[in-house]
Amino acid sequence: YVVVVIGIMFRFIPILLEELSGILKTQMVRANFGNARGLTKLKMLFSLVIPLCVQTFQKAEHLADALTARKFT
């Protein structure tokens, strides 16, 4: 099981980076990240982290459902 977990972890890293890139591009269009300073920049960072966490949990849930469907326990 350890090998499967490590394999899944390494498989998710590029996916997470791709998702972060998409979220960052979207936020760059919506807001002006370049001029933000201090607390404003920290608030903008939350606008990147929260969607990434939500998407990550959704992908993990889909993966768990797929493994359960294949009787992987």
Side-chain angles (χ1 to χ4, degrees):
Y1 292 117
V2 174
V3 174
V4 173
V5 171
I6 292 172
I8 290 171
M9 181 183 69
F10 282 123
R11 175 66 182 118
F12 260 76
I13 290 173
I15 293 171
L16 292 178
L17 291 176
E18 184 178 313
E19 300 250 346
L20 181 63
S21 174
I23 293 169
L24 185 59
K25 287 177 185 176
T26 303
Q27 292 299 332
M28 291 290 275
V29 170
R30 291 182 184 170
N32 192 1
F33 273 106
N35 295 334
R37 298 275 188 252
L39 194 57
T40 306
K41 197 160 195 158
L42 184 62
K43 287 180 184 178
M44 289 183 170
L45 184 63
F46 282 121
S47 68
L48 294 175
V49 172
I50 300 301
L52 182 64
C53 288
V54 169
Q55 290 179 0
T56 301
F57 289 134
Q58 288 174 346
K59 287 193 181 296
E61 187 175 358
H62 290 295
L63 179 62
D65 290 342
L67 289 173
T68 302
R70 290 177 179 87
K71 308 247 189 260
F72 189 85
T73 56

